[in-house]
Amino acid sequence: MPLMPWDKTLDIGVAAMNDEHHDLLDIMNELYDAHTAGKHGASINALVAKLGAACTEHFAHEEAYMQRVGYPGFDGHKMLHVKLLTRYGEFAGQIRSAGGEANDEFFHFLKFWLNSHIKGVDTKYAAHAVGVSR
Ligand SMILES: [Fe+2]
Ligand SMILES: [Fe+2]
């Protein structure tokens, strides 16, 4: 069972960013499925690294997009991305030290963060972008 399936409440109205959010959820769910199937070790570490890289790439795309549309909340949004990646790196380090054993706290963090960041924060630059492009 996926940790967090895609649904329409995650649609921020910017197709390219929706696609990337969808990809992040897919990787997160793949990781969660591997964890709940009892996997650990290199395969989990590889998925944690893959998700971290996808988040880093997504944030860079999102930041470029916010600058392109002149989003006034850019600085605060970027700071949230930096904090999230820092926290993610801490979890990834713990998981590696535990021999590729993920844990509930990590999945709670992922689910809460993706949900609240997309719905509460990403929607704001999206609303701004729609306003300037029409
Ligand atoms: Fe964001
Ligand atoms: Fe995002």
Side-chain angles (χ1 to χ4, degrees):
M1 209 176 92
L3 179 63
M4 180 178 155
W6 171 265
D7 73 65
K8 279 193 174 139
T9 66
L10 293 163
D11 180 352
I12 65 165
V14 177
M17 297 302 140
N18 278 344
D19 287 348
E20 293 192 6
H21 291 153
H22 211 144
D23 289 344
L24 295 181
L25 289 187
D26 284 347
I27 303 169
M28 180 181 75
N29 288 325
E30 187 186 351
L31 173 57
Y32 183 69
D33 285 346
H35 169 71
T36 53
K39 291 198 177 148
H40 52 88
S43 61
I44 292 292
N45 283 331
L47 282 170
V48 171
K50 183 179 172 183
L51 182 56
C55 287
T56 302
E57 202 178 329
H58 168 61
F59 291 168
H61 291 162
E62 211 167 64
E63 286 157 18
Y65 180 79
M66 286 191 278
Q67 288 195 305
R68 214 156 56 231
V69 299
Y71 177 52
F74 174 82
D75 289 346
H77 196 132
K78 185 178 169 135
M79 202 155 69
L80 289 174
H81 286 168
V82 170
K83 279 187 185 167
L84 287 165
L85 288 180
T86 302
R87 190 74 189 101
Y88 190 92
E90 289 167 1
F91 274 114
Q94 280 169 16
I95 292 166
R96 272 197 309 274
S97 309
E101 190 72 63
N103 55 67
D104 288 349
E105 195 193 352
F106 173 61
F107 287 111
H108 284 148
F109 158 77
L110 280 180
K111 187 176 175 177
F112 174 77
W113 156 59
L114 274 169
N115 200 42
S116 64
H117 187 86
I118 294 171
K119 289 181 188 171
V121 184
D122 287 349
T123 47
K124 292 186 178 152
Y125 75 70
H128 171 82
V130 169
V132 296
S133 67
R134 281 185 190 157

